Amino acid sequence: VQLQASGGGSVQAGGSLRLSCAASGGTFSVNTMDWYRQGAGKPRELVAGTTYDGRTNYAEFVKGRFTVSRDNAKNSVYLQMNSLAPDDTAVYYCKASIRRTWSGWYDIWGPGTLVTVSS
């Protein structure tokens, strides 16, 4: 099973971007799907997450600006980012909690997608 993210890019402050991440490869179940980010010289931090039944959680620094959603039929999670600021510049990663038929739950990470916000 692997994750593939897309939607990163460059935008001016105040603009919007939408990130997408899809899990694929074999037979599996997906529980939580989360977005993290890592700015230059900073630790990776949780941005937003969602459970299979649609519960969501957000970091304080994105509340009211970012919206996480998912499509279980597509094993996909999305991050709508509005009112972007230069401090949002980072590589954004998706993470999913996956279970195969022969395994317990474990986490997988996508390769990351770069978001650059200019002032």
Side-chain angles (χ1 to χ4, degrees), residues 2-110:
Q2 59 183 4
L3 296 174
Q4 187 62 47
S6 62
S10 297
V11 65
Q12 289 192 325
S16 298
L17 285 173
R18 185 174 186 256
L19 305 183
S20 301
C21 178
S24 63
T27 302
F28 58 92
S29 300
V30 182
N31 189 1
T32 57
M33 299 189 82
D34 304 315
W35 288 99
Y36 284 74
R37 71 184 187 186
Q38 187 166 18
K42 298 180 181 179
R44 192 172 297 190
E45 57 187 358
L46 176 66
V47 175
T50 178
T51 61
Y52 184 84
D53 59 0
R55 288 173 289 156
T56 60
N57 63 284
Y58 296 92
E60 283 296 325
F61 54 78
V62 301
K63 282 184 178 179
R65 300 189 299 128
F66 293 8
T67 302
V68 64
S69 60
R70 64 188 287 167
D71 184 336
N72 290 331
K74 297 181 179 179
N75 293 317
S76 294
V77 63
Y78 310 96
L79 186 67
Q80 177 66 43
M81 305 185 294
N82 299 328
S83 301
L84 284 161
D87 283 350
D88 295 316
T89 295
V91 177
Y92 284 71
Y93 299 89
C94 59
K95 185 185 79 168
S97 179
I98 298 291
R99 184 176 64 184
R100 309 298 299 271
T101 54
W102 60 82
S103 75
W105 293 100
Y106 63 97
D107 292 336
I108 59 173
W109 290 84

